[in-house]
Amino acid sequence: MTTARKDVDTPEAAGPPAADTATTAADPAEKAARRRPTGRLEAMALPLTWLAVIIVFSILETDTFFTSANAASILASQAVLVVVTLGLIVPLIAGDFDLSIGAVVGMSALIIAILNVQQGWNIWAAILVALIAGIAVGLVNGALTVLLGIDSLIVTLGMSTLLAGVALWISGANTITGVDQTLIDIVISYRLFGIPLEFYYAIIFALILWYVFAFTPLGQRLLVVGRNREVARLSGMRVSTLRIGALVTSAFVAALGGVLIAGTSGSAGPTTGLDLLLPAFAAAFLGSTTIKPGRFNPWGTVIAVYFLVTGITGLQLLGLQSFVQNIFYGGALILAVSFSQIIRRRRMKRGI
């Protein structure tokens, strides 16, 4: 026993473990260095694929695809989807789903059309009511989800169905046309560099959201809540308030999307906005595989939206029928969710 104790206490015996510790300490740095090229490749995979898609379709359809008119059409036509998807990623980051966004878009556009066209309201007053209605929907979603503990999928799916029924009722199953030209002008008539202003509204909103999540305490708290609510709660964060706020933000932004739709088409009907749900989720999850893989992020979302619409536009110009849109969005959603789960598991194993 005495001999063993002396062996442990001698510098010679202590030497090798110290060397092992130094090697262990160096390992994370070495592993991180090895991971950097892989991480950059993951982050840039979708933008590079988008660029490749643009090049391929530009070669195949030079006269129709590779034109400034087509580029302007792609950028402007998806502005509403960009805005709605950016709003959607807020509750997704906080760990909740909002399946009511499409119905809220339609509700907002329909309120504007009914109040402005049928009731003779000033367009700005009609827009204000539509936005307040969006906030109210978000508050109901948040209260039922957080305060009553009902799963957000169930709450927002029920809300979507409810709003779709209300839209059918108040519209009389008719499309209402003739929205004030003022709104149409500031959404699509006025252009900058040949692109309607609605595109720039979407990019400005992406900038704002990026700043919030990258540089503000609010954005960081939402990230923590989405990763581990119990840790966030123990850290003193108001988890319930943050989750409700995220769902309110999503509904409010969806209502803004309704304003843009009303300004784009000058009309609204009982099914307006409902077709945005699948593309929004496809773009949100696909966006989480790029720029910051494994995390919902604004610029990844913007890139994902335009990647999807570029592929769909190119295929349609090649002669494929309209059903390609559903196939493309559905397939993209399945692949994006699969990739995001793979990336998440890899990062958990690495301890990132």
Side-chain angles (χ1 to χ4, degrees):
M1 294 293 293
T2 304
T3 304
R5 190 169 296 178
K6 285 181 179 177
D7 289 342
V8 172
D9 291 340
T10 58
E12 292 80 0
D20 289 342
T21 304
T23 305
T24 303
D27 283 345
E30 292 176 5
K31 289 178 181 178
R34 293 192 196 107
R35 283 198 302 263
R36 280 184 198 125
T38 304
R40 291 192 188 114
L41 183 60
E42 285 180 354
M44 295 305 296
L46 185 62
L48 291 174
T49 304
W50 182 26
L51 178 61
V53 168
I54 292 173
I55 292 172
V56 168
F57 284 127
S58 296
I59 294 171
L60 295 175
E61 293 289 334
T62 306
D63 295 335
T64 53
F65 185 87
F66 193 64
T67 63
S68 58
N70 185 52
S73 174
I74 288 175
L75 293 175
S77 66
Q78 300 305 306
V80 175
L81 180 58
V82 171
V83 170
V84 172
T85 310
L86 287 171
L88 173 64
I89 69 172
V90 177
L92 286 175
I93 287 172
D96 288 305
F97 289 84
D98 188 355
L99 299 181
S100 66
I101 53 167
V104 174
V105 169
M107 176 200 70
S108 172
L110 199 55
I111 287 174
I112 292 170
I114 290 174
L115 293 181
N116 178 241
V117 177
Q118 295 185 342
Q119 303 299 321
W121 283 40
N122 175 275
I123 186 63
W124 301 112
I127 290 172
L128 180 60
V129 172
L131 296 179
I132 292 173
I135 293 172
V137 170
L139 284 170
V140 174
N141 284 341
L144 293 175
T145 299
V146 178
L147 301 182
L148 296 184
I150 306 173
D151 193 289
S152 59
L153 279 170
I154 303 300
V155 171
T156 56
L157 178 60
M159 180 61 73
S160 176
T161 306
L162 172 65
L163 292 178
V166 170
L168 191 63
W169 171 37
I170 63 177
S171 66
N174 296 315
T175 298
I176 302 169
T177 61
V179 172
D180 196 312
Q181 186 64 35
T182 302
L183 180 58
I184 298 173
D185 286 342
I186 64 173
V187 173
I188 60 169
S189 295
Y190 299 147
R191 295 171 176 253
L192 182 62
F193 305 117
I195 303 173
L197 292 182
E198 62 178 336
F199 166 73
Y200 300 101
Y201 299 150
I203 297 303
I204 290 170
F205 182 53
L207 275 169
I208 293 171
L209 209 58
W210 165 75
Y211 178 82
V212 168
F213 284 113
F215 299 107
T216 69
L218 174 61
Q220 297 304 308
R221 290 190 189 107
L222 281 170
L223 288 170
V224 175
V225 169
R227 287 177 178 174
N228 194 316
R229 288 174 187 164
E230 190 58 32
V231 170
R233 191 173 289 108
L234 293 174
S235 300
M237 298 181 189
R238 298 179 177 178
V239 175
S240 296
T241 302
L242 289 167
R243 291 177 64 198
I244 292 173
L247 286 166
V248 170
T249 300
S250 177
F252 174 74
V253 174
L256 283 174
V259 175
L260 292 178
I261 278 192
T264 300
S265 63
S267 63
T271 60
T272 298
L274 296 180
D275 59 346
L276 292 174
L277 182 62
L278 176 59
F281 270 92
F285 278 93
L286 188 59
S288 71
T289 65
T290 188
I291 306 300
K292 290 189 175 182
R295 179 189 300 180
F296 296 105
N297 64 91
W299 295 121
T301 297
V302 173
I303 290 170
V305 169
Y306 286 113
F307 165 75
L308 290 170
V309 72
T310 300
I312 290 169
T313 301
L315 291 172
Q316 288 179 339
L317 288 175
L318 287 174
L320 273 73
Q321 298 179 12
S322 58
F323 63 77
V324 71
Q325 181 169 319
N326 288 336
I327 293 175
F328 210 82
Y329 282 134
L333 179 57
I334 293 170
L335 290 175
V337 172
S338 301
F339 284 137
S340 65
Q341 287 297 318
I342 291 170
I343 292 171
R344 181 182 178 186
R345 288 172 183 171
R346 287 175 58 187
R347 287 175 171 262
M348 287 176 67
K349 288 179 180 179
R350 294 172 182 172
I352 300 176

